[in-house]
Each structure stands twice: as structure tokens, then as C-alpha cells.
Amino acid sequence: MQETFDSILGAIGKTPLVRLDRLTKHYGCEGTILAKLDHLNPGFSKKDRAALGVIEAAEHDGTLKPGQTVVELTSGNMGTGLAIVCGVKGYPFVAVMSKGNSPERARMMAALGAEVELVDQLPESRPGEVSGADLAEVDRVAARLTQERGAFRADQFRRTGNPDAHEQTTGPEIWKQSDGKIDAFCDFVGSGGTLVGTSRYLRRQNPQVKCYPIEPEGAAVLAGREARNPDHPIQGGGYAMSDLDFLHGMSWDGFLRVDGNTARQTSRDLARLEGIFAGFSAGANVAGAVELLRTAHQGQTIAVIICDSGLKYLSTDLFTSEGTRA
């Protein structure tokens, strides 16, 4: 019987792990993909874990004061998680987001009590596709608001509460739910928190587990390639940032690249074949796992995260027949 929680924060994590056997059969792959359904978190994304981890770490070390305003840049998911956590704990929260992200996210954050500051995309940016330059502009606005309001900057790209949350919860859950039968893990890189935290835990249990970052085709800077086409529709990551703090000191077993069209189609196949209604980055993750089953990990078991819900993309072309840009 499910336990009763004192607040919605107790419902963060502990998400199901499911086999994607219908999808692997459809793609003609030999092996197993295990999908961690983090789109079932209260804020409909894996970022709920990071939001709780960052806030509780800051409370513990005294960096965050009672009643202090919290500010953070977000593509929408971290902001939704912070809106929930801050609302329950009594911290005013300001989310700073590019207008290139889907508007559903801004509406959801506002409904959860956040003040939402939307930042115009740069003139050369494609609508609906947030570039690294767009993100830098959002960061500038977030820094200004943090200073003006004497706020705590949640800073998901640097606060170790982000990867620590995944090392302490996501990794252990995957390991226990799979009975330790994991050969590889791959994840689309935004801040790198999920990839790093989960990889640390899985490798500690079994050093033979292989771990792979996923980047957009045309912006694979972690793999040492030039960002020749940094515009892509996979929201929440792939910002062509080669110097991510959490990745320092980490080694990888290879690098995966997924283009926007493939991520889009894989998300559609997840919905149609498996009943999993998820976003672009979940499609990228599963597409990366499919590639591993076709190459170095044929016949093995790959774990992935279903990062967020397809409900956050209904205004985009993710589930329509429009648009074919990579």
C-alpha cells in the first residue's frame, strides 16, 4: 500500500521503470531498453529531483535564508520543480525563461505560484529553438534579478545538489528496480546533472556499466566536434556548452548524437507504441539507446530517463505533422 506523505515533496522520485519491448521490436533491435518514467513526477519532469536537491542542500548549509527569494534560469522543467518546492517551503520564486521555450511551461510555473520573467530570443535565433546565445541572455537577466532582489540563485549548472540528487535517488532506484542488470546508461545533456549523478552511482555498483552523453547532431561539442549547427528543437539541453562544471573529471565510454527529426519521431513512437507521452529529450534518450543496441551493446540492457511530459509540448510540432527541421 502506498504511504501517505506530509506534502507533495514526498512524491518526488520513486518513479516506475518499464521495458520498451514494443518499441525495440518495432525498430528491429536485439536487447532491452529500460525507461525511468520521470515524467510522472509532480512537476512532470526529472528536474523535480534536482530542484529539491538544490534547495535542501542550500537550507542545510545556510546559503538559503528563511523567506529569501529564489531565482533561476530554466527551460521550464527546473523552474516547475522549483515552483513546487519553493511554494511548499515558503520561498518566493522567480523563473527566468527564454521565449523560445514552449509557453505551456510558463503557464504551468505561473499556476504554481512562480513569477515568470520571459526573455526575448536573439534576432538570429529560430523561434522555438533555444540556442546557447539565447541561454546566455537568460543567464544575464537571471543574474541581474538575483542582485536586485538579494535572492538565492539556484544555479542548476553549478549547484552540486543537482547531480547529488540523481546520485542519491535516480541511480539507486534504477539499480534496485532492474536487479542490477544494467549494461549501459545514456542521457541527453542539459546541465549534465542527471548524466553525472546517475552514472556515478551505477558505476560504483558495477564499474563495467558504460555511460554515454547524448548531444544534438551539429552541436556535439562534448565529443570535441565543432558546433556547426547549434539550432535544434530538443528543448532543455544541447546548448553547445563544452565546459559544463559537473562533467569535470568524468570519463565517458563514447558519445552519441541524435538529430531533431529522430528525437521527434522517437517521441511519437513512444506515445504510439508504448503509451508513454513524453517530450523531445526523452525521444533523444531512447533514440540513443536504440543506437547502442544496434552497435556496441547488441543484446544488452540500456537504461534511459523519460525526462518530461508531452503535455509541455502541445504548442510545438512534436505531435503534429508540421515541421521537419533537424
Side-chain angles (χ1 to χ4, degrees), residues 15-98:
T15 55
L17 188 72
V18 302
R19 297 171 60 101
L20 303 184
D21 291 345
R22 295 159 191 81
L23 186 139
T24 53
K25 180 179 179 181
H26 174 74
Y27 287 154
C29 297
E30 182 180 338
T32 301
I33 299 175
L34 297 178
K36 185 74 165 145
L37 304 189
D38 261 28
H39 69 308
L40 300 182
N41 274 305
F44 306 150
S45 93
K46 67 178 185 177
K47 289 289 189 174
D48 290 6
R49 298 178 189 261
L52 184 60
V54 166
I55 294 300
E56 290 194 336
E59 289 177 328
H60 184 263
D61 66 19
T63 308
L64 176 60
K65 310 301 182 186
Q68 187 177 10
T69 296
V70 174
V71 171
E72 180 57 336
L73 67 76
T74 180
S75 67
N77 286 332
M78 186 66 169
T80 299
L82 285 168
I84 292 170
V85 174
C86 292
V88 169
K89 289 178 170 285
Y91 303 106
F93 173 57
V94 182
V96 188
M97 189 175 81
S98 171

Side-chain angles (χ1 to χ4, degrees), residues 20-267:
L20 303 184
D21 291 345
R22 295 159 191 81
L23 186 139
T24 53
K25 180 179 179 181
H26 174 74
Y27 287 154
C29 297
E30 182 180 338
T32 301
I33 299 175
L34 297 178
K36 185 74 165 145
L37 304 189
D38 261 28
H39 69 308
L40 300 182
N41 274 305
F44 306 150
S45 93
K46 67 178 185 177
K47 289 289 189 174
D48 290 6
R49 298 178 189 261
L52 184 60
V54 166
I55 294 300
E56 290 194 336
E59 289 177 328
H60 184 263
D61 66 19
T63 308
L64 176 60
K65 310 301 182 186
Q68 187 177 10
T69 296
V70 174
V71 171
E72 180 57 336
L73 67 76
T74 180
S75 67
N77 286 332
M78 186 66 169
T80 299
L82 285 168
I84 292 170
V85 174
C86 292
V88 169
K89 289 178 170 285
Y91 303 106
F93 173 57
V94 182
V96 188
M97 189 175 81
S98 171
K99 289 183 179 178
N101 293 116
S102 57
E104 293 90 335
R105 299 166 181 235
R107 293 169 189 159
M108 184 174 180
M109 288 187 289
L112 290 165
E115 177 185 339
V116 182
E117 182 84 13
L118 294 176
V119 180
D120 290 332
Q121 289 187 272
L122 299 180
E124 63 271 20
S125 297
R126 290 180 179 176
E129 299 182 7
V130 179
S131 68
D134 287 328
L135 190 69
E137 179 64 12
V138 175
D139 182 60
R140 186 191 66 78
V141 174
R144 174 176 59 79
L145 290 172
T146 299
Q147 183 175 22
E148 289 176 355
R149 304 195 185 193
F152 168 78
R153 177 71 182 272
D155 203 353
Q156 60 180 301
F157 284 84
R158 295 180 180 85
R159 301 276 183 190
T160 57
N162 176 357
D164 288 353
H166 293 288
E167 187 171 1
Q168 294 162 9
T169 67
T170 311
E173 289 172 27
I174 290 173
W175 188 256
K176 181 177 180 180
Q177 290 168 318
S178 68
D179 293 325
K181 298 174 182 176
I182 299 293
D183 296 297
F185 171 70
C186 57
D187 193 61
F188 184 70
V189 179
S191 67
T194 309
L195 173 68
V196 169
T198 305
S199 296
R200 282 177 184 165
Y201 183 85
L202 294 177
R203 285 173 163 175
R204 194 159 63 245
Q205 305 314 302
N206 179 5
Q208 298 305 309
V209 173
K210 309 300 183 184
C211 300
Y212 301 86
I214 300 174
E215 299 180 274
E217 185 67 61
V221 297
L222 299 176
R225 295 171 176 261
E226 182 182 355
R228 55 180 174 75
N229 183 21
D231 297 323
H232 60 87
I234 311 173
Q235 296 185 22
Y239 300 120
M241 298 168 63
S242 60
D243 190 32
L244 291 167
D245 281 18
F246 301 144
L247 273 64
H248 291 171
M250 296 292 293
S251 61
W252 307 109
D253 298 289
F255 297 86
L256 301 172
R257 303 188 303 278
V258 175
D259 65 72
N261 284 337
T262 300
R264 182 186 292 108
Q265 185 58 53
T266 307
S267 294

